Amino acid sequence: MKKSFIVIGLGRFGSSVARALANLNCDILGMDISEDCVTDIAREVEHCVIADSRKLAVLKELGVASIDHAVVAIGNNLEASILTTINLKALGVKNITVRSDSANYIELYERLGATEVIIPEEASAFSLAHQIASDAILDYYSIDSSYAIVQIAVGPNFQSRSLIDLNLRNKFGVNIVGIIHNDHFFVPSGTDNIEAQDVVVIVGTKQQTRKVDAFLNQEAK
């Protein structure tokens, strides 16, 4: 089942996150109080609404309580960002990523219920979208417009297999540059195994890394 997202605040950063999630075929609702912001992105994100996230009743009516992950990307309005985070927590949204324009507010947002706080200058919207779209992607670093270095968590039910047997390079065109096993990083050879709960570090195109993520998660089920 696809994960569902709401991106609240469709300025430059929020709209970039929304577009990236839409391109990953996620179920996404975009929301902003500004009609202009909603209009600008409506062609690329199918479901967008003009609404005020400071009002709990509005979020409740939109069914936000059932959404898997909320991204609060409101800029230059601390009050709106705080009230929105409080409302999302009150509705029981489990995953709340909040944009903060200053590191001074990170602890505040965490106390209010944010599960992750990011500073736009330190985080790529594209990388954030990839991380939150998959529970298995722990870190995502874009090298250029095509390639990325990605850390992918291996599920607890994964059956141990060697890199030769998995044949990820020939199947998907990616390079395995490292494995983290029991918190120890090493550069593997073909005879080394990928074990349950390892973290695999791969390099490949963004499309290739998504396929490896899906493959490893299917293998883990």
Side-chain angles (χ1 to χ4, degrees), residues 99-171:
R99 163 194 172 162
S100 176
D101 292 327
S102 170
N104 294 330
Y105 299 118
I106 291 176
E107 184 178 353
L108 169 63
Y109 283 120
E110 289 174 344
R111 287 177 178 271
L112 294 176
T115 50
E116 181 181 22
V117 183
I118 58 166
I119 298 174
E121 288 76 12
E122 299 175 0
S124 158
F126 192 89
S127 297
L128 172 64
H130 278 76
Q131 288 180 49
I132 66 178
S134 169
D135 293 327
I137 291 181
L138 303 180
D139 200 3
Y140 190 103
Y141 175 75
S142 290
I143 299 172
D144 60 18
S145 60
S146 298
Y147 283 84
I149 301 172
V150 184
Q151 292 185 19
I152 301 176
V154 180
N157 299 318
F158 188 86
Q159 298 298 311
S160 176
R161 292 168 64 184
S162 72
L163 292 180
I164 290 175
D165 288 339
L166 286 169
N167 200 22
L168 297 179
R169 178 164 186 165
N170 287 332
K171 283 181 179 177

Side-chain angles (χ1 to χ4, degrees), residues 13-35:
F13 183 76
S15 61
S16 295
V17 174
R19 288 188 186 96
L21 287 169
N23 288 334
L24 291 170
N25 295 318
C26 298
D27 289 329
I28 176 172
L29 173 65
M31 179 187 214
D32 201 289
I33 199 170
S34 165
E35 182 178 355

